Amino acid sequence: MKQKLFFTILTGILLIFSIAACGQKESGPVLECPFTEVGWEATAEDVAEAEAESLSADAAGTDSVSSEGEAGNGDTKSESFSTNAGGSGPSTYDSVYGGTCYTWPKEYNGLMGTVKYMFDDEEKLMCVAWAYGCDDADELLSLYESINGSVNEKYGESGYAADHPGNYGNVWYLETGDIVLTTMITAENKALQYAYLHPLVSNKQQSPDS
């Protein structure tokens, strides 16, 4: 419960970063995100199918290195996911954009976290994020530096950096939509969120004179 509340706080910080919206473009923007293969045009059904395929592929990879005696366990895991995706579905809660946020467990960078797809009130995908929590502040810092370095390498230095006790992160202002990396550390919880925003909910980088 505390972990879910903590990720909700991170999502609130994400909303603060994206409070000023950009104008809509004529051509559809392209989402290039390392932890999902869907695009901004994806529906809730599309992301459910994509995550089902992703988890099935992970399960198949696990089965391929299992012994014959463990094959039944692999089948059980696959069946369990099928029930979750086709029955109760993903975990959901209200999105900060007025629609629904759908979440699934997701491995990224060798760590098991949570992928989140946030829709607006018109059922359009506005944000995709990967969140990770742990008990070790040094582990979280190492993860932050790894992701920060990879984004800097691809897009250059960020346009905004926050460095406060227990709260640090960066924002990359891009024509294709902002990338927001946030980290929060408290005595009880330590979590990171790595988010890609649709241009409609991204901030325009302000000049130093504005």
Side-chain angles (χ1 to χ4, degrees):
M1 180 64 69
K2 290 182 179 179
Q3 197 78 334
K4 182 176 181 180
L5 175 62
F6 200 66
F7 283 130
T8 301
I9 295 173
L10 277 181
T11 301
I13 292 176
L14 172 62
L15 178 61
I16 293 173
F17 276 125
S18 62
I19 200 68
C22 288
Q24 187 172 8
K25 303 180 185 304
E26 290 296 329
S27 58
V30 176
L31 172 61
E32 294 184 1
C33 175
F35 48 83
T36 184
E37 295 182 356
V38 306
W40 289 125
E41 74 286 351
T43 63
E45 291 75 15
D46 293 334
V47 299
E49 181 178 351
E51 289 306 317
E53 292 178 355
S54 176
L55 287 177
S56 294
D58 290 343
T62 301
D63 291 344
S64 68
V65 297
S66 299
S67 65
E68 291 185 3
E70 297 174 326
N73 291 336
D75 292 341
T76 300
K77 291 180 180 179
S78 178
E79 181 179 338
S80 175
F81 168 73
S82 178
T83 301
N84 183 57
S88 62
S91 297
T92 63
Y93 57 87
D94 291 341
S95 164
V96 295
Y97 303 107
T100 302
C101 178
Y102 302 86
T103 74
W104 284 267
K106 184 81 168 189
E107 182 176 344
Y108 172 67
N109 217 31
L111 298 170
M112 181 58 69
T114 301
V115 65
K116 303 191 281 189
Y117 296 90
M118 306 179 197
F119 289 81
D120 67 7
D121 56 355
E122 296 181 352
E123 299 184 354
K124 294 180 179 178
L125 184 59
M126 291 290 109
C127 175
V128 179
W130 181 79
Y132 177 74
C134 65
D135 297 323
D136 189 340
D138 290 336
E139 177 188 350
L140 203 67
L141 176 60
S142 178
L143 175 61
Y144 169 82
E145 291 178 339
S146 174
I147 295 175
N148 186 67
S150 66
V151 181
N152 276 337
E153 182 177 354
K154 185 172 183 177
Y155 297 106
E157 294 293 327
S158 68
Y160 172 83
D163 187 8
H164 309 291
N167 176 15
Y168 52 92
N170 286 290
V171 182
W172 289 262
Y173 300 100
L174 307 173
E175 290 295 324
T176 53
D178 295 350
I179 300 174
V180 183
L181 178 61
T182 55
T183 305
M184 289 187 67
I185 297 177
T186 68
E188 294 185 349
N189 293 286
K190 298 162 184 64
L192 172 147
Q193 182 162 279
Y194 178 24
Y196 283 68
L197 278 61
H198 191 286
L200 288 175
V201 293
S202 293
N203 292 312
K204 291 182 178 179
Q205 183 176 13
Q206 297 187 2
S207 66
D209 297 332
S210 61

